[in-house]
């Protein structure tokens, strides 16, 4: 059971090698390369035929049965099943280690279970996260001190002129003034067309100005929105 | 004594024969028969597929295939979909467009997946290819509606513009008006990913009206419900339709209008969209349900009873995408109503919630597996699983080709026995002999990988997370899975040994991704040094890997075979291990 370091083309002779110590790769490999060493400059770049012609070593294909016929298409080259940089001993590796305890969730420092959730888990695509309504998400509705949208909260306070009770709306569910207005009308029970026409959508922006929503593009509106107010149209 | 070989037909004959061979695999096989077949094949290959844009350079492709009309390129690794690949990693399409612009004025089709596409690239496409017909951008980013406007304005023969799941900078919805009034060749338009405020409805309506060959139209969320009727009225020939927002005040006139236009769409086979759907308007689509083969309700936040009603109207459904609101009860109805079902995807409505918010368990998946004889592709998010269920599923549905199960909480054991789910997934790979794609989850030891290495001989893509005990697990997969092309691993205790012992295997695969595992920087350097046909990329936002001890694990590792050598467009947090990396850091 010899260690084989045949990383070059199959026609290059492969020879036995001693077991590598994980901690001293560079030295041991260089030692063993010799004249039959791996031609690391043999970067098979442009064309498969140039690879075969520039392979070093003789016609000797004493490769221990691992030589395969050179094929034209570089991408479909058949390589021997295992050309190890390290010989697999078939023993259970890390025998000296304790088998992992099934209950031990934090056995390794590599697990990023920092309580805040793992990056990219569950594997739901980013854009899907944006459009989904968060069902039981009371947490997202926490009002922060400035009363408007902070980075984590997408809920915005909405008031209607003449109505004492303020409501809250999840602005991330809307992508147009049309859908926002429709929802607002429903929220405040303004069902008829006349009712809809008599209200104007205004908002308080980050700079503290009250602006007419219809004057700005949706993008601008979203970015600087802090409060929404429906006011009665005077015209 | 010069024997003429049996296959030395005139080139034209061979070319004609080859023209019937469309698949890349077959084309590649044909090209390897002999030198003359290689030559003939390369001159007549019309569609080129490059699974990893860094595996080969544009110039190499152009040199080998001088007359292709269609190219498909893929960029970032799959885990980029889940934010595991930092922004700026790469996957830029511009160099490809620039090379092709010069060499191929007659290029007709470009299909890109997970690539960075700039407005500059789009403008170059618009300017360079006079007969440009098809642009499909799947999960791409980096461009704005300005780039789309350039395409719309210049590509007179454009047939297909498909933006799937792209991140587009929505500067103005008026890009649609850039399609000239004389332009009528549109067959397929998918703008579902566009944010777009004030979508230019009138331009859209006019476009739909004059493009009488339009077969696929997927609108974005900004298109309100009452506008859909106007659009559909002019396109009763549509085969695939995606609505915009599917909510409005409940008004009988809007409803009957909508139901009316849907009834006139006799060819409709696929529906999607349904953002913000309210149940009241759903029956409007009942007239088309009996012909539907594909239904995407993955944005439809309606509850099980309404979903059940809808699904029961669709006996010919082959493909269903739905949120877990459908619950086990809904899946049972699906299993009894939709005997033609081939693909099912159930997405989580509340993936980050600690507690289950719906009654969807392994039972739903069991029901569908038992009831739908043609089911072959599944993506299922749930919160509990058992080996018993998985064995039942495997036994009843050996025709699975794609099985992706995501148990939301990592390392969740069999809820009945508290054991790992090794046996369950083992059954899946054992019974489903044609399995090509598998995603694992739940509590798993090295044993599941032994099963996979032993049985999953046709497996091409494997996704692993929070699984395994040791390098033995990875070794089983790399040494056993003969057809493996793509392997992506996160948060598993796999280290150097298995990787190095199976180094040559990596050249037979497209790529390997390992993040938050235990592969040391030393091993990466060695691999890069000794395997010149592999690009070994270390991705680490903490800083240069040589600022830490060599035996420190790297954060992310992406290894892919390449004949183009190391790339030069890497951001500061990516290092390629090449032959000199033993001496210096690249």
């Amino acid at each position: 059971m010899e260690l084989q370091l045949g990383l070059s083309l199959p026609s290059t002779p492969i020879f036995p090698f001693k077991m590598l110590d994980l901690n001293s790769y560079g030295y041991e490999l260089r030692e063993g390369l010799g004249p039959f060493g791996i031609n690391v400059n043999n970067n098979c770049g442009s064309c498969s035929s140039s690879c075969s012609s520039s392979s070093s070593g003789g016609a000797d294909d004493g490769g221990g049965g691992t030589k395969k016929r050179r094929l034209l298409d570089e991408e479909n080259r058949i390589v021997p099943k295992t050309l190890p940089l390290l010989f697999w001993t078939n023993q259970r590796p890390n025998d000296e280690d304790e088998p992992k305890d099934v209950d031990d969730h934090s056995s390794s420092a590599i697990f990023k279970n920092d309580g805040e959730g793992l990056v990219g888990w569950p594997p739901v695509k980013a854009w899907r996260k944006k459009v989904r309504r968060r069902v039981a998400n009371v947490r997202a509705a926490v009002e922060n001190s400035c009363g408007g949208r902070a980075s984590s909260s997408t809920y915005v306070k909405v008031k209607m002129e003449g109505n004492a009770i303020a409501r809250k709306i999840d602005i991330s569910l809307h992508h147009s003034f049309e859908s926002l207005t429709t929802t607002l009308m429903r929220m405040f029970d303004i069902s008829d067309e006349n009712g809809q026409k008599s209200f104007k959508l205004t908002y308080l922006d980050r700079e503290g100005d009250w602006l007419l929503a219809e004057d700005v593009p949706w993008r601008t509106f979203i970015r600087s929105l802090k409060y929404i107010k429906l006011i009665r149209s005077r015209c | 004594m010069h024997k003429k070989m049996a296959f030395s037909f005139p080139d034209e004959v061979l070319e004609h024969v080859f023209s019937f061979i469309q698949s890349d695999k077959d084309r590649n096989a044909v090209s390897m028969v002999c030198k003359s077949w290689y030559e003939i094949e390369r001159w007549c290959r019309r569609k080129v597929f490059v699974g990893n844009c860094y595996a080969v350079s544009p110039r190499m492709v152009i040199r080998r295939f001088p007359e292709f009309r269609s190219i498909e390129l893929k960029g970032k690794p799959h885990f980029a979909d889940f934010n595991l690949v930092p922004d700026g990693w790469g996957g830029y399409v511009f160099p490809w467009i620039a090379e092709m612009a010069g060499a191929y004025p007659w290029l007709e089709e470009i299909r890109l997946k997970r690539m960075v596409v700039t407005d500059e690239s789009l403008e170059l496409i618009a300017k360079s290819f006079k007969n440009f017909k098809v642009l499909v951008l799947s999960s791409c980013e980096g461009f704005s509606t300005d780039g789309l406007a350039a395409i719309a304005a210049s590509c007179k023969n454009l047939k297909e513009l498909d933006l799937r799941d792209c991140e587009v900078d929505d500067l103005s919805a008026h890009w649609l008006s850039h399609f000239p009034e004389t332009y009528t060749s549109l067959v397929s338009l998918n703008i579902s990913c566009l944010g777009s405020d004030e979508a230019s409805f009138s331009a859209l309506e006019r476009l739909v009206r004059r493009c009488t060959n339009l077969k696929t139209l997927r609108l974005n969320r900004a298109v309100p419900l009452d506008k859909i009727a106007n659009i559909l009225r002019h396109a009763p020939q549509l085969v695939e339709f995606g609505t915009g927002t599917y909510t409005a005040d409940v008004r009988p006139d809007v409803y009957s209008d909508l139901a009316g236009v849907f009834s006139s769409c006799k060819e409709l086979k696929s529906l999607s969209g349904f953002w913000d759907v309210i149940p009241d308007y759903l029956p409007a689509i009942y007239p088309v349900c009996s012909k539907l083969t594909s239904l995407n309700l993955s944005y439809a936040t309606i509850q099980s009873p309404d979903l059940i009603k809808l699904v029961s109207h669709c006996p010919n459904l082959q493909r269903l995408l739905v949120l877990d609101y459908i619950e086990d009860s809904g899946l049972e109805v699906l299993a009894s109503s939709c005997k033609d079902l081939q693909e099912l995807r159930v997405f989580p409505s509340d993936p980050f919630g600690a507690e289950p918010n719906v009654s969807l368990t392994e039972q739903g998946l069991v029901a569908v597996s038992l009831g739908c004889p043609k089911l072959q592709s599944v993506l299922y998010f749930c919160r509990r699983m058992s080996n018993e269920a998985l064995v039942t599923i495997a036994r009843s549905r050996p025709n699975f080709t794609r099985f992706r199960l995501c148990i939301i909480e990592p390392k969740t054991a069999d809820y009945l026995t508290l054991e790992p789910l090794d046996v369950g997934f083992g059954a899946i790979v054992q019974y489903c002999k044609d399995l090509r794609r598998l995603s694992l989850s739940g509590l798993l030891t090295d044993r599941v990988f032994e099963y996979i290495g032993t049985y999953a001989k046709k497996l091409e893509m494997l996704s692993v997370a929070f699984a395994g005990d040791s390098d033995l697990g990875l070794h089983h997969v790399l040494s056993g899975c003969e057809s493996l092309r793509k392997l992506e691993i996160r948060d598993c205790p796999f280290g150097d040994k298995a990787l190095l012992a199976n180094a040559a295997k990596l050249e037979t695969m497209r790529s390997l991704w390992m993040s938050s595992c235990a592969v040391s920087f030393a091993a990466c350097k060695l691999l890069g040094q000794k395997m010149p046909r592999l690009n070994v990329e270390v991705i680490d936002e903490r800083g240069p890997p040589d600022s830490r001890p060599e035996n420190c694990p790297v954060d992310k590792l992406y290894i892919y075979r390449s004949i183009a050598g190391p790339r030069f467009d890497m951001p500061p947090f990516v290092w390629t291990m090449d032959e000199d990396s033993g001496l210096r850091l690249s």
Side-chain angles (χ1 to χ4, degrees), chain A residues 7 25 29 44-46 74 77 85-86 112 119-121 123 127-128 131-132 135 173 175 177 218-219, chain B residues 63 82 165 169 197-198 221 298-299 325 348-349 408 475 490 500-501 504 507 516 526 530-531 533 563:
Chain A
L7 289 171
Y25 280 129
L29 278 168
C44 292
S46 52
E74 177 66 8
R77 192 174 78 96
L85 282 163
L86 172 70
K112 291 198 197 72
V119 177
W121 191 267
W127 51 267
R128 228 174 238 293
V131 300
R132 188 175 304 112
V135 179
L173 295 178
H175 288 236
F177 286 116
W218 176 257
R219 263 256 150 114
Chain B
R63 190 159 56 218
F82 315 126
D165 310 338
D169 213 355
D197 46 342
E198 317 307 325
R221 200 174 180 178
S298 57
Y299 299 111
Y325 290 127
S349 52
I408 289 177
H475 176 69
R490 62 163 295 174
L500 296 173
E507 275 193 9
S516 306
L526 180 66
K530 295 307 160 195
M531 310 289 289
R533 273 180 296 268
I563 56 171

Side-chain angles (χ1 to χ4, degrees), chain B residues 18 30-31 81 116 145 236 300 335 363 371 375 387 403 411 516 524 527 555 564:
Chain B
F18 294 168
V30 160
S31 70
D81 286 354
V116 178
T145 43
Q363 293 306 318
L375 189 66
N387 283 309
F403 189 81
K411 306 212 211 170
S516 306
C524 295
L527 210 50
D555 184 23

Side-chain angles (χ1 to χ4, degrees), chain B residues 200-267:
Chain B
S200 178
F201 301 130
S202 54
L204 182 60
E205 271 179 60
R206 283 197 319 272
L207 184 65
V208 170
R209 207 176 311 167
R210 65 183 186 269
C211 295
T212 51
N213 287 324
L214 195 64
K215 293 280 188 292
T216 300
L217 178 63
R218 304 230 191 249
L219 303 171
N220 60 329
R221 200 174 180 178
V223 180
L225 191 58
D226 50 359
K227 289 280 190 290
I228 288 178
N230 286 340
I231 289 171
L232 275 179
R233 218 185 310 276
H234 299 296
Q237 76 282 2
L238 279 181
V239 176
E240 301 182 319
F241 180 64
T243 74
T245 185
Y246 206 77
T247 189
D249 286 341
V250 184
R251 280 161 41 193
D253 55 326
V254 173
Y255 178 88
S256 55
D257 207 14
L258 199 59
V261 285
F262 271 120
S263 336
S264 65
C265 293
K266 307 278 183 220
E267 313 294 325

Side-chain angles (χ1 to χ4, degrees), chain A residues 10-53:
Chain A
S11 54
T12 304
I14 298 156
F15 61 101
F17 204 82
K18 60 183 193 284
M19 178 73 140
L20 293 171
D21 181 342
L22 274 172
N23 293 322
S24 58
Y25 280 129
Y27 176 70
E28 297 220 16
L29 278 168
R30 241 172 270 137
E31 208 181 35
L33 282 177
F36 302 101
I38 293 131
N39 180 4
V40 292
N41 296 318
N42 186 17
N43 191 5
C44 292
S46 52
C47 184
S48 26
S49 53
S50 70
C51 271
S52 5
S53 56

Side-chain angles (χ1 to χ4, degrees), chain A residues 5 7-9 20 22-23 25-26 29-30 33 38-49 51 69-88 90-94 96 99-102 104-108 110-113 118-137 139 172-179 182-183 185-186 190-191 193 196 216-219 223, chain B residues 28 31-32 34-35 38 56 60 63-64 81-84 139 165 167-170 195-198 201 221-222 224 226-227 245 247-249 251 275-276 278 298-299 301 321 323 325 347-353 357 381 406-411 420 441 443 446 465-466 469-472 475 479 482 490-493 496-498 500-505 507-508 516-518 522-523 526-527 529-533 553 555 561 563 565 579:
Chain A
L5 197 76
L7 289 171
S8 60
L9 303 167
L20 293 171
L22 274 172
N23 293 322
Y25 280 129
L29 278 168
R30 241 172 270 137
L33 282 177
I38 293 131
N39 180 4
V40 292
N41 296 318
N42 186 17
N43 191 5
C44 292
S46 52
C47 184
S48 26
S49 53
C51 271
R69 231 168 56 73
R70 188 101 194 90
L71 297 167
L72 281 167
D73 187 344
E74 177 66 8
E75 284 172 341
N76 292 313
R77 192 174 78 96
I78 298 169
V79 292
K81 236 179 201 170
T82 44
L83 267 169
L85 282 163
L86 172 70
F87 182 60
W88 188 264
N90 260 335
Q91 298 162 356
R92 277 199 69 85
N94 307 324
E96 57 276 20
K100 287 251 184 319
D101 185 346
V102 291
D104 185 359
H105 289 250
S106 56
S107 51
S108 167
I110 59 177
F111 287 85
K112 291 198 197 72
N113 240 329
L118 303 154
V119 177
W121 191 267
V124 184
K125 287 187 187 171
W127 51 267
R128 228 174 238 293
K129 282 189 247 173
K130 277 187 224 160
V131 300
R132 188 175 304 112
R133 183 202 310 269
R134 283 173 239 166
V135 179
N137 204 345
R139 288 163 286 180
S172 68
L173 295 178
H174 297 276
H175 288 236
S176 70
F177 286 116
E178 294 234 11
S179 88
T182 306
T183 307
M185 293 297 133
R186 200 171 45 218
I190 307 167
S191 49
E193 278 226 3
Q196 289 176 18
V216 299
W218 176 257
R219 263 256 150 114
R223 283 195 186 126
Chain B
N28 290 344
S31 70
M32 291 198 295
C34 62
K35 275 207 175 120
Y38 177 91
V56 67
M60 288 174 187
R63 190 159 56 218
R64 179 171 172 190
D81 286 354
F82 315 126
N83 298 329
L84 286 174
S139 305
D165 310 338
E167 276 208 39
V168 185
D169 213 355
D170 242 309
S196 225
D197 46 342
E198 317 307 325
F201 301 130
R221 200 174 180 178
D226 50 359
K227 289 280 190 290
T245 185
T247 189
D249 286 341
R251 280 161 41 193
W275 283 279
D276 323 304
I278 53 169
S298 57
Y299 299 111
T301 49
L321 280 66
L323 286 170
Y325 290 127
F347 295 101
S349 52
D350 187 19
F352 306 107
N357 60 324
F381 284 82
C406 179
I407 304 164
I408 289 177
E409 183 60 36
K411 306 212 211 170
S441 59
L443 182 65
D446 284 344
F466 305 103
D469 311 311
S470 73
D471 276 55
L472 194 55
H475 176 69
S479 57
E482 290 160 6
R490 62 163 295 174
D491 296 88
C492 295
D496 301 342
K497 296 198 185 81
L500 296 173
N502 293 282
K505 171 72 174 175
E507 275 193 9
T508 68
S516 306
C517 295
L526 180 66
L527 210 50
Q529 211 174 341
K530 295 307 160 195
M531 310 289 289
R533 273 180 296 268
D555 184 23
R561 66 181 177 188
I563 56 171
E579 35 282 21

